[in-house]
Every structure is written in C-alpha cells, then in structure tokens.
Amino acid sequence: MRTLAIAIVGCGRMGRERARCVRQLNHRIRFVVDTNAARAGELAREYNAVVMGDVRDCLSSGVDAVFLCTPPGLRGAVLDSCLQHVVPFFVEKPIAVSTFQCEELAERIRNTPVIHAVGFMNRYRRSVQFGKKVLAGRKVIAITAHWICSRYNVPWVDNEQLSGGPYNDQAIHAVDLSRFFAGQVGEVQSIFQSPERAGWLLAFESGTIASVVYSCEARTKNIGFQIFTEQGALRFEGWDFKLAENTIDGTLPEYSDEDVFLTETKAFMNAVQSGLRDGLLSDMPDAMETQLVIDAARQSHASGNRVNIAEFVASRTRQAALCIAE
C-alpha cells in the first residue's frame, strides 16, 4: 500500500504519540500545526516536516489525513476544514467540551462520506476485545467503574472552556467503555460532581445499571472496571485494562506487550488506504452519544434530578427551534 502524507494538528503529548505511530507504520508526517511555534518546530525537525500556521494551508497543499490533537475546545474550525475538503481525520477524545459545541459538525459528518475516527483507544485493547467476545449473547446486569488518578499536567485541563473539566477528559473513558459493553444510556443521576470529583449512576436502555466514580485528586492512578452477568463477572484492572478475573467461563487472554495507540492508529490508517471503515471502533456519531452522557450528568448535577437523555435532547431541540423562530 502507498505511503500516506499526514498532518498533525496539535503537537503536545498526543500529537507526538500519533506522529510516533505514523512513522512506525511507515507513513510520512508532512505538516505540523501548533500555536506554540517552538513545540511545532521541535516536532517538525524530528520528522522532517513543514510547520504550517493553519490547517487550511495543509489541506490545500495536499495531505491524505489529519490527526487532530488540540484541546477539545479548539477543534471546531479544524473539523470544519476537513469536512469542506473531504479529508479523512482522526480526532482525539473527548470530541469537544460538550455536544452543544459540535452538533452541527456531527450532522454534517453523517451526510459526508469521509473516513474518520475518534480516539477512544480502550476499545482497541486486546483484553477489552476478548471481554466483548466472552459477553456475546449474555445479559449484562451491572457495571462498576472507577477512574482515580492525578490531574493531567497540561495548562488547559482546568480551563473548562478548553477541556470541559478534568472529568470530561478522563472519566469519559469509563463512560465510553460502559456504553461499548452495555449499549445506549437512558438516564443519568449525578450523585456529586465537581471538576475534580464526580459520581454518576447510569441506567441503560437494555436494563443494565452502572456506577462511575472519578477523581483526579490522587497521587497515583487506580483504575478498575467490572462487568456482572448472571453467569459471573469480568474484572479489568489498571490503565491497560488487564482482564484480571473471568468467573463467566474462566478463560483469560494471553498477555504480551501492547502498544494500544499503535493499534488504534493502524486501524485508522488502514481505513484511509482501503476506504473501508470495518476496523474502526469509534466514530463521531457514536462519540457524540458518549459525550451526551457527560452533558446529561452536568445537567443532573445542576438540577439535582435524574436526567432522561431522550427528554434532555428533545428539550435542547425545542430551545434551538425557538431561537431560530425568534
């Protein structure tokens, strides 16, 4: 297959991570874009790339795909440009500060035949894929998840206009995996929430219930995820979601070193080359459903009430219609 020319927009930790994976897959970083000129220059020198001031310059000069690795609140204009030029893109999670910020873009993506993916990398882990197969045909009764960690050491994470809050950037992993295993969330109850600490109860349309506990106030990382069925449970541990226990059928995957970012990047690059989306595990419409759970949790915290997601979406639609009418 041919070598692809790639643009990296946002040269921080994830921009560097994606650049590493692109080169490891024998593709070319052609352009880099970042508001921090020194950081962009450093990445450009490492990969023999050209620094551009605007993603539109990259697209008009010719690239095969864009990796969008900026803070969540700064992605709208880049996504808009990719859609206008119909250039494949990979956007890191979370897709935005909230669904309010990208509803129009998501609707355009539904109607635009462009290859794209969203970076919920845990879906690609071998342990998670193994667990998905074990659960096939079984009813998930409940899920318990905790994501306890320290805050990201980046200046924008505490700026809710850029990040949506630390929980939006970190706890969203637990919400997304819950959806990956149990389907659509019907209702959300926020027990307590602050930017650094959150607790939510989720009721799924399938009948599954889940609890998610998050804090970025710890010195060390402690992540856990457990799924309960009538036949037994699956227990995942740690940042790599190792399947530590399976009381359903007793089987466990064989473990070896895993580069999940490489696996995820490879799936996207293969899709760009082939035009086939079969290997992509998260796209914009699906990521919007995960983001919507976070939005409903915010609303539940603000009101003190349980939030029905369908009613929440309908009320927003009505408000939008009133604004247009006025």
Side-chain angles (χ1 to χ4, degrees):
M1 289 189 177
R2 66 188 179 92
T3 299
L4 299 178
I6 303 300
I8 302 288
V9 181
C11 301
R13 183 177 71 89
M14 288 313 302
R16 294 193 301 272
E17 196 70 60
R18 297 303 175 185
R20 173 187 68 82
C21 294
V22 167
R23 181 163 67 180
Q24 198 164 335
L25 293 167
N26 298 315
H27 297 292
R28 175 191 173 197
I29 306 297
R30 186 176 182 191
F31 302 116
V32 299
V33 180
D34 198 294
T35 55
N36 184 321
R39 188 164 62 182
E42 181 181 352
L43 194 67
R45 286 189 294 274
E46 183 176 355
Y47 291 93
N48 194 28
V50 176
V51 176
M52 287 289 199
D54 192 302
V55 69
R56 289 171 294 187
D57 298 330
C58 303
L59 299 175
S60 61
S61 298
V63 291
D64 295 300
V66 172
F67 281 85
L68 182 48
C69 309
T70 66
L74 300 178
R75 295 175 179 163
V78 178
L79 291 173
D80 179 69
S81 294
C82 289
L83 287 174
Q84 285 185 17
H85 289 78
V86 197
V87 172
F89 64 87
F90 183 104
V91 57
E92 296 295 343
K93 64 82 218 160
I95 52 173
V97 167
S98 73
T99 53
F100 290 94
Q101 196 178 48
C102 57
E103 282 176 315
E104 182 183 347
L105 285 169
E107 187 59 34
R108 286 170 58 195
I109 287 168
R110 289 186 179 94
N111 300 313
T112 303
V114 58
I115 295 292
H116 72 280
V118 179
F120 283 109
M121 81 285 188
N122 291 311
R123 294 185 175 206
Y124 291 84
R125 293 190 185 278
R126 287 195 291 267
S127 58
V128 170
Q129 289 296 311
F130 186 91
K132 189 83 167 174
K133 291 178 181 178
V134 171
L135 291 171
R138 305 182 193 274
K139 181 180 179 180
V140 176
I141 298 171
I143 295 172
T144 61
H146 66 266
W147 191 288
I148 311 299
C149 57
S150 58
R151 66 191 334 105
Y152 281 156
N153 186 27
V154 290
W156 52 264
V157 74
D158 290 319
N159 183 335
E160 294 208 33
Q161 292 185 333
L162 293 179
S163 70
Y167 61 89
N168 189 53
D169 203 65
Q170 295 177 310
I172 201 167
H173 279 299
V175 172
D176 187 70
L177 270 189
S178 296
R179 286 192 57 252
F180 189 58
F181 284 113
Q184 294 298 88
V185 177
E187 293 185 325
V188 180
Q189 174 73 61
S190 180
I191 305 168
F192 171 85
Q193 186 182 71
S194 73
E196 296 80 21
R197 188 184 301 176
W200 307 316
L201 294 177
L202 312 178
F204 290 77
E205 293 177 358
S206 62
T208 303
I209 57 174
S211 65
V212 177
V213 175
Y214 164 77
S215 175
C216 63
E217 300 166 304
R219 294 182 179 178
T220 58
K221 190 172 290 184
N222 190 318
I223 296 170
F225 193 89
Q226 195 159 6
I227 304 170
F228 300 91
T229 72
E230 293 177 354
Q231 296 80 17
L234 300 178
R235 179 166 57 85
F236 300 86
E237 292 182 343
W239 183 84
D240 58 354
F241 282 84
K242 178 181 179 181
L243 184 54
E245 185 178 29
N246 172 7
T247 62
I248 297 174
D249 62 19
T251 61
L252 294 172
E254 292 185 7
Y255 281 99
S256 59
D257 290 340
E258 179 180 29
D259 186 340
V260 71
F261 292 123
L262 182 64
T263 300
E264 183 183 40
T265 303
K266 183 178 181 180
F268 174 66
M269 302 300 275
N270 287 346
V272 173
Q273 288 182 310
S274 68
L276 301 176
R277 308 176 188 219
D278 299 355
L280 300 177
L281 301 181
S282 180
D283 62 8
M284 196 77 168
D286 189 59
M288 283 282 287
E289 296 295 335
T290 294
Q291 187 67 55
L292 191 59
V293 177
I294 300 293
D295 292 358
R298 289 191 187 107
Q299 178 64 26
S300 176
H301 172 62
S303 67
N305 299 320
R306 185 168 56 186
V307 172
N308 179 286
I309 289 184
E311 293 176 0
F312 177 59
V313 172
S315 68
R316 287 170 32 174
T317 303
R318 287 194 297 271
Q319 289 171 5
L322 287 172
C323 290
I324 293 171
E326 291 174 357

